[in-house]
Amino acid sequence: MKARITEVGPRDGLQNEPGTIPTETKVRFVDALSEAGYEEIEVSAFVSAERVPQLADAEEVFARIRRRAGTLYSALVPNERGLERALHAKVGKIAVFTAASETFNRKNVNASIQESIERFRPVVEGARNHSIPVRGYVSTAFWCPYEGKIAPERVVDVVQRLQDIGVDEISIGDTIGKAVPVEVMALLDRLLDHLDQDRLVMHFHDTYGTAIANVLASYDRGISAFDASAGGLGGCPFAPGASGNVATEDLIWALTRTGATVPPDLDRVRAASDLLASALGRPLRSRVHEALSGAKPQAR
Ligand code: HMG
Ligand code: MG
């Protein structure tokens, strides 16, 4: 099976960084990722600069990156204002985002789940008028930092509401990286009664070290699209305790060795992670990256 990876490092990875990252570094990071041959790179977010200062330069990043044919360059869009900005920046795809937990959604976007979905209606319609595909994220799909365990029925309900407004695919977020495979399988068993597996994407954070196990459990259920972050960077400023996304290097390694075809080139992803690590002045967190850095070629 061919796996489709959305690289979310430039958005999910950088939104949570404490220090200021120069626009030039972001552009070089995205350009290095483009060299790896992704189908999709989530470049930034057209959200409030006050809420997420780290991504306030979204327009400039989009204007300066070198776009590779065959790669979709996407961004988060929370409302019509965000769509306007995204269209102006010539994004290839947008992602609207809500959650399965009311408390998290309120903290993240200052709206109830239903209010946020109502905001998306004109956004999805506008994107459609410009032939731009739309992803819908459902955060806190397993655990919420404020409400605890989230019942699968709540996720199914939000997924159905997103489908009703016409999103093309749904990304299921384990925002605080606390899910384990039995929970993933239980949710997928319910979700797959309602939508085709090709329209589902899994977005695992790796706080408790179970992200790869969750990826493989999803793959076993026929899911082939995953989000990942080069070097395992990531986290949500509005979800206390959330750490990085599953590292793209680890994801490529695990899926390839399970028999999947995974387009991004592992060594080029590693090069992009190295570039970012040296710009941030600290090593990133990918087990595969570390192992390969010390390994002789024949040990791979
Ligand atoms: P609001 O807080 O309800 O307030 O915004 P508002 O609508 O009254 O706007 C407040 C200010 O923001 C105003 O400026 C607006 O103009 C401005 P002021 O008049 O005070 O100068 N504003 C905007 N500026 C630029 N672009 C816009 C925009 N919209 C309003 N599009 C809003 C609601 C959603 C915009 C805000 O709460 C927000 O930006 N929140 C940030 C949410 C965010 O980016 N969270 C992180 C990403 S989600 C995530 O990480 C999870 C994920 O990875 C999956 C997973 O792991 O589960 C996707
Ligand atoms: Mg995330």
Side-chain angles (χ1 to χ4, degrees), residues 33-79:
L33 290 166
S34 288
E35 295 286 312
Y38 285 92
E39 285 182 39
E40 182 177 343
I41 300 175
E42 197 172 78
V43 174
S44 192
F46 293 97
V47 295
S48 150
E50 216 171 287
R51 301 292 313 279
V52 186
Q54 200 57 268
L55 302 183
D57 57 358
E59 274 86 355
E60 205 183 334
V61 175
F62 267 96
R64 289 171 55 185
I65 54 172
R66 275 197 309 269
R67 301 186 196 211
R68 174 190 161 275
T71 302
L72 271 176
Y73 294 90
S74 58
L76 293 194
V77 163
N79 52 19

Short mmCIF file of all heavy atoms in Angstrom, two decimals, residues 33-79:
data_model
loop_
_atom_site.label_atom_id
_atom_site.label_comp_id
_atom_site.label_asym_id
_atom_site.label_seq_id
_atom_site.Cartn_x
_atom_site.Cartn_y
_atom_site.Cartn_z
N LEU A 33 12.52 20.48 2.91
CA LEU A 33 11.48 19.43 2.94
C LEU A 33 10.97 19.15 1.52
O LEU A 33 10.74 18.00 1.15
CB LEU A 33 10.32 19.86 3.84
CG LEU A 33 10.61 19.90 5.34
CD1 LEU A 33 9.51 20.66 6.09
CD2 LEU A 33 10.76 18.49 5.91
N SER A 34 10.81 20.21 0.73
CA SER A 34 10.32 20.04 -0.64
C SER A 34 11.23 19.11 -1.43
O SER A 34 10.76 18.31 -2.24
CB SER A 34 10.24 21.40 -1.37
OG SER A 34 9.18 22.16 -0.85
N GLU A 35 12.52 19.20 -1.15
CA GLU A 35 13.50 18.34 -1.84
C GLU A 35 13.24 16.85 -1.57
O GLU A 35 13.65 15.98 -2.32
CB GLU A 35 14.92 18.64 -1.33
CG GLU A 35 15.42 20.03 -1.65
CD GLU A 35 15.77 20.16 -3.11
OE1 GLU A 35 16.48 19.28 -3.61
OE2 GLU A 35 15.30 21.12 -3.75
N ALA A 36 12.57 16.56 -0.44
CA ALA A 36 12.35 15.16 -0.06
C ALA A 36 11.19 14.52 -0.82
O ALA A 36 11.00 13.31 -0.74
CB ALA A 36 12.09 15.07 1.45
N GLY A 37 10.39 15.35 -1.53
CA GLY A 37 9.35 14.77 -2.38
C GLY A 37 8.06 14.40 -1.67
O GLY A 37 7.46 13.37 -1.94
N TYR A 38 7.61 15.25 -0.76
CA TYR A 38 6.31 15.03 -0.11
C TYR A 38 5.15 15.31 -1.06
O TYR A 38 5.27 16.16 -1.95
CB TYR A 38 6.12 16.02 1.05
CG TYR A 38 6.91 15.73 2.29
CD1 TYR A 38 8.16 16.29 2.47
CD2 TYR A 38 6.39 14.93 3.29
CE1 TYR A 38 8.89 16.06 3.63
CE2 TYR A 38 7.11 14.69 4.45
CZ TYR A 38 8.35 15.25 4.61
OH TYR A 38 9.05 15.02 5.75
N GLU A 39 4.01 14.67 -0.78
CA GLU A 39 2.80 15.04 -1.51
C GLU A 39 2.21 16.32 -0.93
O GLU A 39 1.58 17.10 -1.61
CB GLU A 39 1.76 13.93 -1.43
CG GLU A 39 2.12 12.77 -2.33
CD GLU A 39 1.09 11.66 -2.31
OE1 GLU A 39 -0.11 11.93 -2.27
OE2 GLU A 39 1.53 10.50 -2.33
N GLU A 40 2.42 16.52 0.39
CA GLU A 40 1.84 17.71 1.02
C GLU A 40 2.72 18.20 2.16
O GLU A 40 3.22 17.41 2.96
CB GLU A 40 0.44 17.37 1.56
CG GLU A 40 -0.25 18.56 2.19
CD GLU A 40 -1.68 18.25 2.67
OE1 GLU A 40 -2.26 17.22 2.24
OE2 GLU A 40 -2.18 19.03 3.48
N ILE A 41 2.89 19.51 2.21
CA ILE A 41 3.60 20.14 3.34
C ILE A 41 2.68 21.22 3.91
O ILE A 41 2.23 22.12 3.19
CB ILE A 41 4.94 20.78 2.89
CG1 ILE A 41 5.86 19.71 2.27
CG2 ILE A 41 5.63 21.47 4.06
CD1 ILE A 41 7.15 20.25 1.68
N GLU A 42 2.40 21.11 5.21
CA GLU A 42 1.58 22.14 5.86
C GLU A 42 2.54 23.23 6.30
O GLU A 42 3.33 23.06 7.23
CB GLU A 42 0.83 21.52 7.06
CG GLU A 42 -0.32 22.38 7.53
CD GLU A 42 -1.15 21.64 8.58
OE1 GLU A 42 -0.71 21.58 9.74
OE2 GLU A 42 -2.22 21.10 8.24
N VAL A 43 2.46 24.35 5.62
CA VAL A 43 3.51 25.37 5.70
C VAL A 43 3.33 26.32 6.89
O VAL A 43 4.30 26.73 7.53
CB VAL A 43 3.55 26.17 4.38
CG1 VAL A 43 4.51 27.34 4.45
CG2 VAL A 43 3.91 25.25 3.21
N SER A 44 2.08 26.70 7.16
CA SER A 44 1.87 27.70 8.21
C SER A 44 0.38 27.75 8.56
O SER A 44 -0.37 26.84 8.21
CB SER A 44 2.37 29.07 7.74
OG SER A 44 2.44 29.97 8.83
N ALA A 45 -0.02 28.82 9.25
CA ALA A 45 -1.42 28.97 9.66
C ALA A 45 -1.82 30.44 9.52
O ALA A 45 -1.08 31.33 9.95
CB ALA A 45 -1.60 28.50 11.10
N PHE A 46 -3.00 30.66 8.95
CA PHE A 46 -3.51 32.03 8.82
C PHE A 46 -4.47 32.29 9.98
O PHE A 46 -5.68 32.43 9.80
CB PHE A 46 -4.17 32.22 7.45
CG PHE A 46 -3.16 32.14 6.33
CD1 PHE A 46 -2.96 30.96 5.63
CD2 PHE A 46 -2.38 33.24 6.02
CE1 PHE A 46 -2.01 30.88 4.63
CE2 PHE A 46 -1.42 33.18 5.02
CZ PHE A 46 -1.23 31.99 4.32
N VAL A 47 -3.88 32.32 11.18
CA VAL A 47 -4.64 32.51 12.41
C VAL A 47 -4.27 33.87 13.00
O VAL A 47 -3.51 34.64 12.39
CB VAL A 47 -4.37 31.35 13.41
CG1 VAL A 47 -4.89 30.04 12.86
CG2 VAL A 47 -2.90 31.24 13.75
N SER A 48 -4.79 34.15 14.19
CA SER A 48 -4.49 35.43 14.82
C SER A 48 -3.02 35.48 15.26
O SER A 48 -2.55 34.59 15.98
CB SER A 48 -5.43 35.60 16.02
OG SER A 48 -4.81 36.37 17.02
N ALA A 49 -2.33 36.55 14.86
CA ALA A 49 -0.91 36.69 15.19
C ALA A 49 -0.73 36.85 16.69
O ALA A 49 0.31 36.49 17.26
CB ALA A 49 -0.31 37.88 14.46
N GLU A 50 -1.76 37.39 17.32
CA GLU A 50 -1.68 37.57 18.77
C GLU A 50 -1.72 36.21 19.49
O GLU A 50 -1.03 35.99 20.47
CB GLU A 50 -2.87 38.42 19.22
CG GLU A 50 -2.54 39.35 20.34
CD GLU A 50 -3.69 40.29 20.56
OE1 GLU A 50 -3.89 41.19 19.71
OE2 GLU A 50 -4.39 40.09 21.56
N ARG A 51 -2.56 35.30 18.95
CA ARG A 51 -2.70 33.98 19.58
C ARG A 51 -1.50 33.08 19.26
O ARG A 51 -1.08 32.29 20.09
CB ARG A 51 -3.99 33.29 19.12
CG ARG A 51 -5.28 34.03 19.41
CD ARG A 51 -5.66 34.14 20.88
NE ARG A 51 -5.58 32.90 21.65
CZ ARG A 51 -6.49 31.95 21.67
NH1 ARG A 51 -7.58 32.07 20.95
NH2 ARG A 51 -6.33 30.89 22.43
N VAL A 52 -1.01 33.14 18.03
CA VAL A 52 0.11 32.28 17.63
C VAL A 52 1.18 33.14 16.95
O VAL A 52 1.31 33.16 15.72
CB VAL A 52 -0.36 31.14 16.68
CG1 VAL A 52 0.78 30.16 16.39
CG2 VAL A 52 -1.53 30.37 17.27
N PRO A 53 1.94 33.87 17.75
CA PRO A 53 2.92 34.81 17.18
C PRO A 53 3.95 34.13 16.28
O PRO A 53 4.44 34.73 15.32
CB PRO A 53 3.60 35.42 18.41
CG PRO A 53 2.88 34.92 19.60
CD PRO A 53 1.90 33.87 19.21
N GLN A 54 4.25 32.88 16.59
CA GLN A 54 5.31 32.18 15.85
C GLN A 54 4.99 32.05 14.35
O GLN A 54 5.90 31.96 13.54
CB GLN A 54 5.51 30.79 16.48
CG GLN A 54 6.81 30.12 16.19
CD GLN A 54 8.02 30.94 16.59
OE1 GLN A 54 8.54 31.70 15.77
NE2 GLN A 54 8.48 30.79 17.82
N LEU A 55 3.70 32.07 14.01
CA LEU A 55 3.34 31.88 12.59
C LEU A 55 2.78 33.17 11.97
O LEU A 55 2.09 33.14 10.95
CB LEU A 55 2.33 30.73 12.45
CG LEU A 55 2.80 29.37 13.00
CD1 LEU A 55 1.75 28.29 12.74
CD2 LEU A 55 4.15 28.94 12.41
N ALA A 56 3.12 34.30 12.56
CA ALA A 56 2.59 35.57 12.08
C ALA A 56 3.11 35.92 10.68
O ALA A 56 2.55 36.77 9.99
CB ALA A 56 2.96 36.69 13.06
N ASP A 57 4.19 35.26 10.27
CA ASP A 57 4.78 35.57 8.96
C ASP A 57 4.30 34.61 7.86
O ASP A 57 5.01 34.39 6.88
CB ASP A 57 6.31 35.54 9.06
CG ASP A 57 6.83 34.19 9.57
OD1 ASP A 57 6.00 33.31 9.88
OD2 ASP A 57 8.06 34.01 9.65
N ALA A 58 3.10 34.06 8.02
CA ALA A 58 2.61 33.04 7.05
C ALA A 58 2.67 33.55 5.61
O ALA A 58 3.13 32.84 4.71
CB ALA A 58 1.19 32.63 7.41
N GLU A 59 2.23 34.79 5.39
CA GLU A 59 2.22 35.34 4.02
C GLU A 59 3.63 35.34 3.43
O GLU A 59 3.85 34.95 2.29
CB GLU A 59 1.71 36.78 4.00
CG GLU A 59 0.21 36.93 3.92
CD GLU A 59 -0.47 36.88 5.28
OE1 GLU A 59 0.23 36.65 6.29
OE2 GLU A 59 -1.69 37.06 5.35
N GLU A 60 4.57 35.81 4.26
CA GLU A 60 5.94 35.95 3.75
C GLU A 60 6.56 34.58 3.45
O GLU A 60 7.25 34.42 2.45
CB GLU A 60 6.79 36.70 4.79
CG GLU A 60 7.95 37.41 4.13
CD GLU A 60 8.84 38.10 5.15
OE1 GLU A 60 8.34 38.46 6.24
OE2 GLU A 60 10.04 38.25 4.84
N VAL A 61 6.27 33.62 4.32
CA VAL A 61 6.81 32.28 4.09
C VAL A 61 6.26 31.73 2.77
O VAL A 61 7.02 31.24 1.91
CB VAL A 61 6.48 31.32 5.27
CG1 VAL A 61 6.94 29.91 4.96
CG2 VAL A 61 7.13 31.82 6.56
N PHE A 62 4.95 31.85 2.58
CA PHE A 62 4.36 31.35 1.33
C PHE A 62 4.92 32.07 0.10
O PHE A 62 5.11 31.47 -0.95
CB PHE A 62 2.83 31.49 1.36
CG PHE A 62 2.14 30.24 1.85
CD1 PHE A 62 1.75 30.12 3.17
CD2 PHE A 62 1.89 29.17 0.99
CE1 PHE A 62 1.13 28.96 3.63
CE2 PHE A 62 1.28 28.01 1.43
CZ PHE A 62 0.89 27.91 2.76
N ALA A 63 5.20 33.36 0.27
CA ALA A 63 5.71 34.13 -0.88
C ALA A 63 7.12 33.71 -1.25
O ALA A 63 7.53 33.80 -2.41
CB ALA A 63 5.66 35.63 -0.56
N ARG A 64 7.88 33.24 -0.26
CA ARG A 64 9.31 33.01 -0.52
C ARG A 64 9.70 31.55 -0.77
O ARG A 64 10.79 31.30 -1.26
CB ARG A 64 10.12 33.58 0.66
CG ARG A 64 10.09 35.12 0.64
CD ARG A 64 10.69 35.73 1.87
NE ARG A 64 12.05 35.28 2.12
CZ ARG A 64 12.77 35.59 3.19
NH1 ARG A 64 12.23 36.37 4.12
NH2 ARG A 64 13.98 35.16 3.34
N ILE A 65 8.85 30.60 -0.41
CA ILE A 65 9.24 29.19 -0.61
C ILE A 65 9.28 28.87 -2.11
O ILE A 65 8.58 29.49 -2.90
CB ILE A 65 8.28 28.20 0.11
CG1 ILE A 65 6.82 28.45 -0.30
CG2 ILE A 65 8.48 28.26 1.61
CD1 ILE A 65 5.84 27.41 0.21
N ARG A 66 10.13 27.90 -2.44
CA ARG A 66 10.19 27.41 -3.83
C ARG A 66 9.24 26.22 -3.93
O ARG A 66 9.44 25.21 -3.25
CB ARG A 66 11.60 26.92 -4.18
CG ARG A 66 12.53 28.01 -4.63
CD ARG A 66 13.74 27.40 -5.33
NE ARG A 66 14.37 26.34 -4.55
CZ ARG A 66 15.36 26.53 -3.68
NH1 ARG A 66 15.84 27.74 -3.50
NH2 ARG A 66 15.89 25.52 -3.02
N ARG A 67 8.19 26.38 -4.72
CA ARG A 67 7.17 25.32 -4.78
C ARG A 67 7.56 24.27 -5.81
O ARG A 67 7.85 24.60 -6.96
CB ARG A 67 5.81 25.92 -5.11
CG ARG A 67 5.39 26.94 -4.07
CD ARG A 67 3.98 27.43 -4.31
NE ARG A 67 3.75 28.66 -3.56
CZ ARG A 67 2.58 29.02 -3.07
NH1 ARG A 67 1.53 28.26 -3.24
NH2 ARG A 67 2.45 30.16 -2.41
N ARG A 68 7.56 23.04 -5.34
CA ARG A 68 7.93 21.93 -6.21
C ARG A 68 6.66 21.35 -6.83
O ARG A 68 5.65 21.19 -6.15
CB ARG A 68 8.63 20.88 -5.33
CG ARG A 68 8.98 19.59 -6.00
CD ARG A 68 9.45 18.58 -4.97
NE ARG A 68 9.36 17.23 -5.51
CZ ARG A 68 8.27 16.48 -5.49
NH1 ARG A 68 7.15 16.92 -4.96
NH2 ARG A 68 8.29 15.27 -6.01
N ALA A 69 6.73 21.05 -8.14
CA ALA A 69 5.57 20.44 -8.80
C ALA A 69 5.30 19.10 -8.12
O ALA A 69 6.24 18.37 -7.79
CB ALA A 69 5.87 20.23 -10.27
N GLY A 70 4.04 18.79 -7.87
CA GLY A 70 3.71 17.50 -7.24
C GLY A 70 3.53 17.61 -5.74
O GLY A 70 3.10 16.64 -5.10
N THR A 71 3.86 18.74 -5.14
CA THR A 71 3.66 18.93 -3.70
C THR A 71 2.55 19.96 -3.47
O THR A 71 2.55 21.02 -4.11
CB THR A 71 4.95 19.44 -3.01
OG1 THR A 71 6.00 18.49 -3.24
CG2 THR A 71 4.76 19.61 -1.51
N LEU A 72 1.62 19.63 -2.56
CA LEU A 72 0.59 20.59 -2.18
C LEU A 72 1.11 21.36 -0.98
O LEU A 72 1.59 20.75 -0.01
CB LEU A 72 -0.68 19.85 -1.74
CG LEU A 72 -1.72 19.48 -2.78
CD1 LEU A 72 -2.83 18.65 -2.12
CD2 LEU A 72 -2.32 20.73 -3.41
N TYR A 73 1.01 22.67 -1.02
CA TYR A 73 1.46 23.50 0.09
C TYR A 73 0.20 24.02 0.80
O TYR A 73 -0.54 24.82 0.23
CB TYR A 73 2.35 24.64 -0.42
CG TYR A 73 3.64 24.08 -1.00
CD1 TYR A 73 3.73 23.72 -2.35
CD2 TYR A 73 4.74 23.85 -0.18
CE1 TYR A 73 4.90 23.18 -2.87
CE2 TYR A 73 5.92 23.30 -0.69
CZ TYR A 73 5.99 22.97 -2.03
OH TYR A 73 7.15 22.41 -2.54
N SER A 74 -0.03 23.53 2.02
CA SER A 74 -1.30 23.80 2.71
C SER A 74 -1.10 24.67 3.95
O SER A 74 0.03 24.92 4.37
CB SER A 74 -1.97 22.48 3.09
OG SER A 74 -1.10 21.72 3.91
N ALA A 75 -2.23 25.11 4.52
CA ALA A 75 -2.17 25.94 5.73
C ALA A 75 -3.46 25.81 6.52
O ALA A 75 -4.51 25.51 5.96
CB ALA A 75 -1.96 27.40 5.35
N LEU A 76 -3.37 26.09 7.82
CA LEU A 76 -4.57 26.13 8.66
C LEU A 76 -5.32 27.43 8.41
O LEU A 76 -4.71 28.49 8.25
CB LEU A 76 -4.21 26.11 10.16
CG LEU A 76 -3.58 24.88 10.78
CD1 LEU A 76 -3.65 24.99 12.31
CD2 LEU A 76 -4.23 23.60 10.32
N VAL A 77 -6.64 27.32 8.40
CA VAL A 77 -7.51 28.48 8.21
C VAL A 77 -8.66 28.37 9.22
O VAL A 77 -9.43 27.41 9.16
CB VAL A 77 -8.05 28.49 6.75
CG1 VAL A 77 -9.24 29.41 6.62
CG2 VAL A 77 -6.96 28.88 5.77
N PRO A 78 -8.80 29.34 10.15
CA PRO A 78 -9.84 29.20 11.17
C PRO A 78 -11.18 29.85 10.80
O PRO A 78 -12.19 29.56 11.42
CB PRO A 78 -9.24 29.94 12.37
CG PRO A 78 -8.40 31.01 11.75
CD PRO A 78 -7.92 30.48 10.43
N ASN A 79 -11.16 30.77 9.83
CA ASN A 79 -12.38 31.56 9.54
C ASN A 79 -12.24 32.23 8.16
O ASN A 79 -11.24 32.01 7.45
CB ASN A 79 -12.57 32.63 10.64
CG ASN A 79 -11.30 33.46 10.87
OD1 ASN A 79 -10.42 33.51 10.01
ND2 ASN A 79 -11.20 34.10 12.02
#
